[in-house]
Amino acid sequence: MDLISNLSIGFSVAFTPINLLVVMLGVIVGTVIGALPGIGPVAGLSILIPLAFGMDPTSAMILMCGVYYGCMYGGTITSVLMNVPGESSSIMTYLDGYAMAQKGRAGPALTIAAIGSFVAGTFSVVMLTVLAPPIADAALQFGPPEYFALMLLGLSAISGLTGKSRAKGYAMGFVGLALAMVGLDPIGGTPRYSYGHLELLDGIGFLPVAVGLFGLCAVLVMVDQLVDIKVMKTTLREMLITKQDIKDSAMPIARGSFIGFLVGVLPGAGATIATFLAYAAEKRISKTPELFGTGIVAGVASPEAANNASTGGAMIPLLTLGIPGSGSTAVMLGVLTLFNLQPGPLLFSKNPDFVWGLIASMYIGNVMLLVLNIAFVPAFVAVLRVPYRILAPLIAIFCVVGVYSVNYSVFDLWIMLVFGVIGYLMTKMDYPLAPLVLALVLGGQMEVSLRQSLKMSEGDISTFFTRPISGVIMAVVIVIVLWPIMKRFLIKPVVKRLNV
């Protein structure tokens, strides 16, 4: 009964004219951002932070979530029509999506992807609705040691965001933690690493760092890699699918939805891993695995479903525990902190209108996304034809105006510029940027929880391991961090002996 009453509250908030307009704007902008190669959801969310900061908190997060799951589908358009994944989570889709397009079936590929996205997105939101309240209630038992362990678990997500080199990923994480220490000591109130600059007493702001690292950096990368890409054409009539398409995609969509949701809940796993696992599982189950990569319907339906199901899964640890499991959710956590909203169990009890309005908007957004991405694909394709030489300066102007309009601070613009250049250089050297943002967002609360815990235990660090909940979480963190070593020196030798 509580669930129904909570949802009724949520839909009453989500169905207000301003929030309906905002969620529509979010999914449209998200689809466009996801479709533009080289930008992606993290950069898109970062660029829109200044716009969201001037809005009501509920409307702002509805906008950000709309952009988030809109981006998940947007990458499919370029994967199918251009043979260029709009983002990393669309890599598996383009294997069969573009092959279908070459056979003259670009329209059905996009329709199947849209239907799969809708089914998977709705499934993940239903699971979010059902699982989030009990998890939040359980988290009410948490104290500072448990919160520190949770923050550490969130930080261990860096292991899934490191890209090719774990060392580079962890290095960027340490840089983020160092940046989080700039400003006033949260316990003692003494200045740290401000070097006499009054602007640094409040710390290095999340907004200029995120916009610089992802928004301005994306502009610099665009300018550096100007490429003319041919876009296939498709019409609304060509979007029609057959009964056989529906039959071939039904079970792959179901399996992809389940896999994507489970992977999305795990910190650091993310949509990219979900799509790889879903595609691999589908290929293993298939009676004709040799057809994968040649334009098979299941090769589009399963990874695309996993891609969108991961979004609802990732929202569970973010809203209930304050753990961002990916770069995108780290940006959204930063937006919540800008509004002085602390994700966790108290968010559900103190701000029910906010939480349930956000969840209800995700149901509405998935329906809008289905309609938009079947009926208006030709319009989105037209956007892809905008040259980067025009798009890049427009994004740069939006970044500058947006960051300045929040605090009217020239210092923030300098920070954005510095981190834009740093982000560009790090990208050229294959250093992942998401770990830095993740550590910057978690660092402040992590330090507070650590020092409160040590004061409670009079400096005894065993408190993190002797308390049941924090002890279990710390054990999980240790396994995650040491997994590569365990896999190399313990698991592989055993498997090798068994095979012998």
Side-chain angles (χ1 to χ4, degrees), residues 89-356:
S89 59
S90 299
I91 290 173
M92 303 311 295
T93 302
Y94 98 97
L95 293 178
D96 284 275
Y98 188 69
M100 286 183 68
Q102 288 180 313
K103 295 178 180 179
R105 305 203 70 219
L110 292 171
T111 300
I112 290 166
I115 294 172
S117 298
F118 168 73
V119 172
T122 303
F123 168 76
S124 69
V125 179
V126 170
M127 298 302 291
L128 170 63
T129 305
V130 173
L131 296 178
I135 293 175
D137 290 340
L140 287 172
Q141 310 300 320
F142 287 14
E146 286 75 20
Y147 272 111
F148 172 75
L150 273 178
M151 296 299 106
L152 203 58
L153 178 61
L155 204 60
S156 68
I158 288 175
S159 64
L161 304 173
T162 53
K164 298 178 182 178
S165 171
R166 286 181 179 269
K168 290 181 178 179
Y170 286 126
M172 295 297 282
F174 280 118
V175 171
L177 289 176
L179 293 174
M181 296 185 67
V182 174
L184 294 176
D185 185 314
I187 304 297
T190 55
R192 301 184 304 190
Y193 311 113
S194 60
Y195 303 104
H197 292 282
L198 295 177
E199 296 91 343
L200 289 176
L201 290 180
D202 286 334
I204 295 179
F206 164 78
L207 172 62
V209 171
V211 175
L213 278 179
F214 297 109
L216 199 58
C217 172
V219 172
L220 296 175
V221 172
M222 277 185 195
V223 174
D224 185 40
Q225 301 175 355
L226 287 177
V227 180
D228 292 327
I229 304 174
K230 293 182 179 180
V231 185
M232 287 188 178
K233 294 182 179 180
T234 187
T235 63
L236 186 58
R237 181 177 296 177
E238 294 172 345
M239 300 291 290
L240 297 176
I241 59 176
T242 65
K243 290 183 179 180
Q244 188 61 43
D245 289 331
I246 296 173
K247 182 179 178 181
D248 291 342
S249 61
M251 289 309 297
I253 288 174
R255 287 188 287 265
S257 300
F258 185 72
I259 292 172
F261 175 77
L262 290 180
V263 174
V265 174
L266 301 174
T272 303
I273 294 176
T275 57
F276 274 85
L277 291 176
Y279 190 89
E282 208 59 42
K283 189 174 181 179
R284 183 179 293 272
I285 292 170
S286 175
K287 296 178 181 179
T288 55
E290 68 278 1
L291 294 181
F292 279 77
T294 64
I296 189 171
V297 169
V300 174
S302 183
E304 198 58 30
N307 188 10
N308 284 266
S310 67
T311 59
M315 295 300 291
I316 290 180
L318 175 67
L319 294 176
T320 60
L321 303 173
I323 298 177
S326 65
S328 300
T329 49
V331 172
M332 286 195 279
L333 177 60
V335 174
L336 286 172
T337 58
L338 288 176
F339 287 113
N340 294 319
L341 292 171
Q342 181 61 47
L346 295 180
L347 188 66
F348 282 76
S349 57
K350 290 185 177 180
N351 305 94
D353 290 356
F354 170 82
V355 173
W356 292 106

Side-chain angles (χ1 to χ4, degrees), residues 269-453:
T272 303
I273 294 176
T275 57
F276 274 85
L277 291 176
Y279 190 89
E282 208 59 42
K283 189 174 181 179
R284 183 179 293 272
I285 292 170
S286 175
K287 296 178 181 179
T288 55
E290 68 278 1
L291 294 181
F292 279 77
T294 64
I296 189 171
V297 169
V300 174
S302 183
E304 198 58 30
N307 188 10
N308 284 266
S310 67
T311 59
M315 295 300 291
I316 290 180
L318 175 67
L319 294 176
T320 60
L321 303 173
I323 298 177
S326 65
S328 300
T329 49
V331 172
M332 286 195 279
L333 177 60
V335 174
L336 286 172
T337 58
L338 288 176
F339 287 113
N340 294 319
L341 292 171
Q342 181 61 47
L346 295 180
L347 188 66
F348 282 76
S349 57
K350 290 185 177 180
N351 305 94
D353 290 356
F354 170 82
V355 173
W356 292 106
L358 179 62
I359 292 173
S361 75
M362 295 177 73
Y363 285 100
I364 299 169
N366 276 303
V367 175
M368 289 182 176
L369 200 59
L370 176 65
V371 175
L372 287 168
N373 288 317
I374 291 179
F376 295 98
V377 162
F380 291 125
V381 172
V383 175
L384 296 177
R385 295 191 175 95
V386 177
Y388 278 175
R389 63 179 179 274
I390 297 175
L391 188 64
L394 288 177
I395 295 176
I397 291 171
F398 192 86
C399 290
V400 171
V401 173
V403 169
Y404 181 75
S405 63
V406 172
N407 293 317
Y408 301 102
S409 170
V410 176
F411 187 77
D412 284 351
L413 292 179
W414 281 110
I415 291 178
M416 180 193 71
L417 178 61
V418 168
F419 279 94
V421 174
I422 290 174
Y424 171 73
L425 295 175
M426 294 297 101
T427 301
K428 297 289 285 184
M429 293 186 289
D430 288 328
Y431 277 83
L433 303 179
L436 190 153
V437 174
L438 186 63
L440 177 62
V441 171
L442 293 177
Q445 183 59 42
M446 188 175 174
E447 180 189 2
V448 172
S449 299
L450 172 63
R451 294 175 67 176
Q452 287 176 341
S453 301

